[in-house]
């Protein structure tokens, strides 16, 4: 039996002020909550935006887990934020 978990990854890059967590990010979490009410939502993030109403609302829908974004994998540097998120997804 698979666990009832849905993982999300965000914030592998520094967030300046309100950052770039937008309505579409929030709606992704909100729809997952509505469509899968029995599942636990986990939001893995490296850097959180501040003063962002969508981020604040999203945190009420899930369990936030702050991590240190990976800087390398198998000795190879990770310079692209999307690649860092990919590594986190694989690790989770």
């Amino acid at each position: 039996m698979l666990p009832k978990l849905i993982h999300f990854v965000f914030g592998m890059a520094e967030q300046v002020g309100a950052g770039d967590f937008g309505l579409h990010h929030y709606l992704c979490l909100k729809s997952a909550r509505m469509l899968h009410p029995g599942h636990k939502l986990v939001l893995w993030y490296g850097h959180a935006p501040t003063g962002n109403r969508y981020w604040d609302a999203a945190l009420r829908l899930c369990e936030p887990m702050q991590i240190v974004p990976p800087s390398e994998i198998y000795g190879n540097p990770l310079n692209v934020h999307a690649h860092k998120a990919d590594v986190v997804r694989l690790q989770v």
Side-chain angles (χ1 to χ4, degrees), residues 21 49-61:
F21 191 90
T50 56
N52 182 313
R53 64 181 173 167
Y54 299 119
W55 177 260
D56 296 338
L59 294 181
R60 293 189 291 270
L61 299 172

Side-chain angles (χ1 to χ4, degrees), residues 31-76:
S31 65
R33 170 61 57 224
M34 291 174 64
L35 294 172
H36 305 285
H39 286 62
K40 177 179 177 181
L41 306 181
V42 182
L43 174 58
W44 302 88
Y45 71 97
H47 304 281
T50 56
N52 182 313
R53 64 181 173 167
Y54 299 119
W55 177 260
D56 296 338
L59 294 181
R60 293 189 291 270
L61 299 172
C62 63
E63 180 180 338
M65 299 291 287
Q66 188 169 21
I67 58 169
V68 175
S71 58
E72 65 172 34
I73 182 144
Y74 303 120
N76 299 304

